[in-house]
Amino acid sequence: MESGVSFICDLSIDRKWDLFKKQLTDNNYQFYIVNIDLSKELLTKLYKAKDYYESLKSIDKFIDDHDKFLKEYCNEINLHILDNNFKYRCELCYKKINDWLNSIK
């Protein structure tokens, strides 16, 4: 982060957002949060399809952590991906982030 080079951070930040946001702010970054908020049913299907069987054991905790994150930081989220638009997530992200980048120039 100290280099100032833009990057995409693909991770679950639910439990670490306060620290991560501070690092971004301290290094003069702007941030754009894409929230992937899937139902337990779809998340279970995805985990099984990807052989994430260890993650299946913690799915309820992950969902609970994410719900807590949403309650506290929903106003900082720029784009919500849900079950009904998950199929188009890459296209949606490209368009919305491109629009955002053009707006901050």
Side-chain angles (χ1 to χ4, degrees):
M1 265 192 233
E2 293 172 6
S3 71
V5 176
S6 297
F7 63 95
I8 296 172
C9 189
D10 181 12
L11 70 144
S12 173
I13 57 171
D14 297 348
R15 294 167 302 281
K16 300 177 183 177
W17 178 237
D18 284 331
L19 175 61
F20 197 66
K21 181 180 176 182
K22 181 179 180 338
Q23 291 174 319
L24 291 171
T25 304
D26 288 350
N27 289 287
N28 297 314
Y29 278 93
Q30 293 179 317
F31 55 86
Y32 189 99
I33 300 175
V34 176
N35 167 51
I36 300 179
D37 191 15
L38 304 178
S39 68
K40 183 177 181 178
E41 292 75 24
L42 181 54
L43 195 56
T44 299
K45 287 179 187 178
L46 291 172
Y47 281 2
K48 286 180 179 178
K50 294 180 176 190
D51 293 331
Y52 291 175
Y53 294 106
E54 284 300 312
S55 295
L56 277 171
K57 296 175 186 176
S58 302
I59 197 166
D60 290 324
K61 174 154 181 26
F62 296 157
I63 290 171
D64 186 52
D65 288 344
H66 191 66
D67 286 343
K68 289 174 185 171
F69 171 80
L70 289 175
K71 285 179 186 163
E72 190 165 349
Y73 300 108
C74 194
N75 63 323
E76 296 182 11
I77 295 170
N78 301 85
L79 173 63
H80 291 273
I81 302 295
L82 308 169
D83 286 14
N84 64 342
N85 61 4
F86 181 74
K87 182 177 178 181
Y88 308 104
R89 67 196 178 280
C90 293
E91 184 180 338
L92 285 169
C93 287
Y94 173 78
K95 181 180 180 341
K96 296 289 188 176
I97 292 171
N98 194 44
D99 291 347
W100 177 71
L101 289 172
N102 287 327
S103 76
I104 61 172
K105 285 184 178 179

